[in-house]
Amino acid sequence: FLGYLTVCLALYCTQSPEAAYSPLLPLLILGLPILDTLTVMVIRYSEGRHLFSPDRNHIHHQLLALNFRHYEVVAVLYLLCTVLVGMAYYLRYSADALLLGVYLLFSAAVIGTLHWGKLTGWQLRAKSREGKERRNRWLRKIHWYHHVAPVLLEWSLAILLVVMAFLFSHNFSLGAIVTWPIVLGLLVLMALAPQKRAVVTTRVTYYVTVACMIFVFAETLGSRPQLDLVLDITLGTLAVLLVLGVRMTRKADFRFDTHDYLVLLLILMAPQFLTLFAPQQEMTRLVLRFVVLAYIGEFLLARKGAGLPAMKTACLACLLILGGMS
């Protein structure tokens, strides 16, 4: 049903006489499933089998044969689809010959890469035994970071939130009329919520604070370029510490899954289509700041649950500062 609906919408939007788009645009929008279907049918025909007989020649099967993990295969397919949709957006008014040429080059690159990997026996990684230590030798040397990461990230985040509130709050248009009722509501929520819901209240507190900070960033972005640069460098450093902490975590309490890859791709692509509302560079900056702050919070909640006194205190302090200094 989803495939049928996608095809119908793609044709309806591009084949209308009133549409200014190239009629070949669906070739890019639906490029990956088209390529996958044609490829397996050619292989089956060349082997003398029925065109609709099952086999393991689909693109995702070929990636698995190159020793990609399941979530990595899904991430690669997301990326390929995103590249095609992005090209369709930027080439929507281009000539048919250009669209066809771009798609043929894309198809040749995908098929050629998979064929090269099969011929040369290339593997993404050596086949590992079940239960083998998933951290490499370098990561095992800093095994202590597994225990340090939650504390380091919590206190770094707490300090950063308070400092950002002091530095960016002067132009906060909403002011105390919004932040103080929010603080009061959060305190009531913490007091009345049952203990088993403590993680939920902590998450609500954190995301409300992050939302206010993103709003502040949106109002002040570009007015203090040096401060923006320092903030971006700091968040970039925290992002590196976060990725290292996720990689060092022995349990699977928190890990990037295929849904996260899709969300990150959508976040990175969104600024490309929102240039009517704000400059692309500013939109990209805002969404990346939100991504880093959001995933740090999720990592801390996964590792420490509701036991984040420094972060919760910093969130309330941040909101009060935003209300008191704006």
Side-chain angles (χ1 to χ4, degrees), residues 276-298:
L276 293 176
F277 304 97
Q280 177 180 325
Q281 183 180 2
E282 293 185 3
M283 290 295 300
T284 303
R285 232 174 183 178
L286 288 175
V287 295
L288 289 179
R289 287 176 182 181
F290 174 77
V291 168
V292 174
L293 291 172
Y295 274 109
I296 291 176
E298 289 301 319

Side-chain angles (χ1 to χ4, degrees), residues 36 55 57 93 151 223:
D36 193 26
D55 56 29
N57 289 317
Y93 300 119
V151 178
S223 61

Side-chain angles (χ1 to χ4, degrees), residues 266-321:
L266 291 174
I267 288 173
L268 291 174
M269 288 295 295
Q272 312 295 325
F273 306 100
L274 296 176
T275 53
L276 293 176
F277 304 97
Q280 177 180 325
Q281 183 180 2
E282 293 185 3
M283 290 295 300
T284 303
R285 232 174 183 178
L286 288 175
V287 295
L288 289 179
R289 287 176 182 181
F290 174 77
V291 168
V292 174
L293 291 172
Y295 274 109
I296 291 176
E298 289 301 319
F299 173 77
L300 293 174
L301 287 166
R303 287 292 303 274
K304 300 183 69 174
L308 298 165
M311 189 180 82
K312 288 186 286 189
T313 303
C315 287
L316 296 175
C318 177
L319 293 172
L320 290 173
I321 293 170

Side-chain angles (χ1 to χ4, degrees), residues 3-163:
Y4 175 76
L5 184 62
T6 303
V7 171
C8 290
L9 288 174
L11 293 175
Y12 178 79
C13 293
T14 59
Q15 308 305 311
S16 170
E18 294 80 16
Y21 307 128
S22 167
L24 283 184
L25 204 58
L27 187 63
L28 291 181
I29 298 174
L30 306 170
L32 192 61
I34 292 174
L35 175 63
D36 193 26
T37 302
L38 292 178
T39 301
V40 294
M41 286 187 172
V42 169
I43 293 174
R44 291 166 187 168
Y45 179 80
S46 64
E47 295 176 350
R49 295 187 291 111
H50 193 280
L51 294 183
F52 297 100
S53 60
D55 56 29
R56 296 184 62 83
N57 289 317
H58 288 279
I59 291 176
H60 64 274
H61 290 130
Q62 296 186 54
L63 289 171
L64 289 172
L66 297 177
N67 214 18
F68 282 76
R69 295 193 176 102
H70 177 268
Y71 71 91
E72 293 171 337
V73 171
V74 177
V76 170
L77 297 180
Y78 284 161
L79 180 61
L80 292 177
C81 287
T82 304
V83 169
L84 283 172
V85 172
M87 289 192 298
Y89 175 77
Y90 284 108
L91 299 175
R92 61 192 184 278
Y93 300 119
S94 301
D96 295 349
L98 178 59
L99 287 174
L100 181 60
V102 168
Y103 180 67
L104 291 177
L105 286 175
F106 173 87
S107 301
V110 173
I111 296 174
T113 302
L114 293 173
H115 189 62
W116 171 83
K118 184 178 180 180
L119 287 179
T120 61
W122 178 85
Q123 298 279 307
L124 180 65
R125 61 174 61 82
K127 293 186 179 297
S128 59
R129 296 185 301 273
E130 188 68 26
K132 185 179 178 182
E133 171 64 67
R134 71 188 185 95
R135 296 170 298 169
N136 61 34
R137 184 178 303 175
W138 183 82
L139 289 176
R140 288 200 294 270
K141 291 181 180 179
I142 57 170
H143 60 88
W144 48 267
Y145 188 73
H146 167 73
H147 305 285
V148 173
V151 178
L152 176 61
L153 285 171
E154 181 186 3
W155 279 97
S156 299
L157 182 63
I159 295 172
L160 181 63
L161 286 175
V162 174
V163 172

Side-chain angles (χ1 to χ4, degrees), residues 159-174:
I159 295 172
L160 181 63
L161 286 175
V162 174
V163 172
M164 286 191 301
F166 271 115
L167 296 177
F168 287 92
S169 61
H170 298 286
N171 296 325
F172 185 44
S173 60
L174 298 180

